[in-house]
Amino acid sequence: MKNEKNARKSRSSLMRGLTNTRTRFGLALIALVVGLAFLGPLAAPYGPSELIGTPYQAPDADSLLGTDSLGRDVLSRFLFGGRNLIWMALSATLAGLTLGAAIGLATAYFKGRFDGIVMRIVDLQLAFPSVVFALLFVTALGPNPVLLVVLVALSQAPSVARIIRGASLAVVERDYVQWSRAVGLPTHKILMSEILLNVTSPLLVELGLRLMWSISLLAGLSFLGYGIQPPNADWGLMVNESRNALTIQPWAVLAPILAIATLSIGGTLFAEGMSRAIGLTEGVPK
């Protein structure tokens, strides 16, 4: 009975969050940019690396956003440039969230020496700047997209682990979890059905925050030259390629910046909407 009551409360928090205006607007912004990234290449007038004019040519009928430093169409590169960032950011976020949630649930459930050792490792990782952590391995192994996803996921997992561990500690002590342990229910079932079910709301908040940080880190690595490599089109790389000609051809820089900012704002609004909804739900008398 207690388990069902807490499950209903968790679903109530989730539904309240998804009906929140901020959450919906954030999801709409994310969907807009994701749709642009994956459907945009279908509307691109040229190939992403096709030379169509002189460098930094002003916008005209043949090139609506002008050309970049090599004479490539800015609009076409922009429409092609979001796919890598989107799939890498989403993959890194989901992987980091999964790993962090698993660590958080396990440490809260087993506690003791296991909790102490794992959380000290987490603290050590948190003390190491994410950019430096990524650059250390990318410099040695090369800017492979899969490697970048793994590195960003590993840099996100410790923060998720601490949040989920904190949320799970109170759940572990509840009667229905203790009863499940007493009757010998398998550990993985207790973690998934009894504990994870009751921390889905903070997990969704972390999803929005981690998505924002993944986007920022991946775009920053591309800007520094350690992400997606030329001649491939990438929003972070586009900013780096044309940053010195911002006053001459601003669209080569502004277009990708606006897309990245919109995606980050969408993730932030989603996280804020979920956070506010959880706070309102938890404030309701039992």
Side-chain angles (χ1 to χ4, degrees), residues 46-246:
Y46 305 100
S49 302
E50 184 178 350
L51 301 177
I52 66 163
T54 58
Y56 300 126
Q57 183 177 309
D60 56 27
D62 295 326
S63 180
L64 296 180
L65 296 183
T67 60
D68 66 2
S69 59
L70 296 179
R72 298 169 295 192
D73 183 49
V74 170
L75 177 59
S76 297
R77 285 185 66 76
F78 170 71
L79 293 175
F80 275 95
R83 289 184 299 180
N84 285 322
L85 178 62
I86 297 298
W87 81 258
M88 291 170 67
L90 289 175
S91 299
T93 299
L94 292 176
L97 207 68
T98 302
L99 177 60
I103 294 173
L105 290 172
T107 52
Y109 183 78
F110 292 108
K111 300 181 181 179
R113 182 174 298 179
F114 174 76
D115 179 32
I117 294 174
V118 173
M119 293 313 296
R120 297 298 75 77
I121 296 174
V122 167
D123 291 339
L124 180 63
Q125 173 64 23
L126 285 172
F128 207 69
S130 298
V131 174
V132 177
F133 174 76
L135 289 177
L136 179 66
F137 288 92
V138 172
T139 302
L141 302 176
N144 182 280
V146 176
L147 174 64
L148 291 172
V149 169
V150 171
L151 292 175
V152 173
L154 290 176
S155 69
Q156 301 284 21
S159 297
V160 178
R162 291 192 68 86
I163 295 296
I164 299 305
R165 174 183 176 273
S168 301
L169 282 173
V171 179
V172 169
E173 299 301 327
R174 291 175 181 170
D175 293 341
Y176 58 84
V177 175
Q178 298 301 320
W179 178 86
S180 298
R181 300 179 72 168
V183 298
L185 196 68
T187 300
H188 70 276
K189 288 188 176 181
I190 297 176
L191 293 175
M192 296 298 295
S193 62
E194 307 291 346
I195 303 176
L196 181 62
L197 179 65
N198 290 285
V199 296
T200 52
S201 296
L203 195 62
L204 284 174
V205 173
E206 280 298 296
L207 173 63
L209 293 174
R210 294 308 117 200
L211 176 62
M212 179 187 67
W213 282 108
S214 295
I215 293 165
S216 301
L217 182 54
L218 288 167
L221 289 172
S222 291
F223 176 80
L224 293 173
Y226 292 93
I228 299 300
Q229 299 296 298
N232 295 308
D234 179 80
W235 288 341
L237 182 60
M238 286 179 66
V239 176
N240 182 37
E241 290 173 336
S242 301
R243 71 186 190 281
N244 293 326
L246 182 59

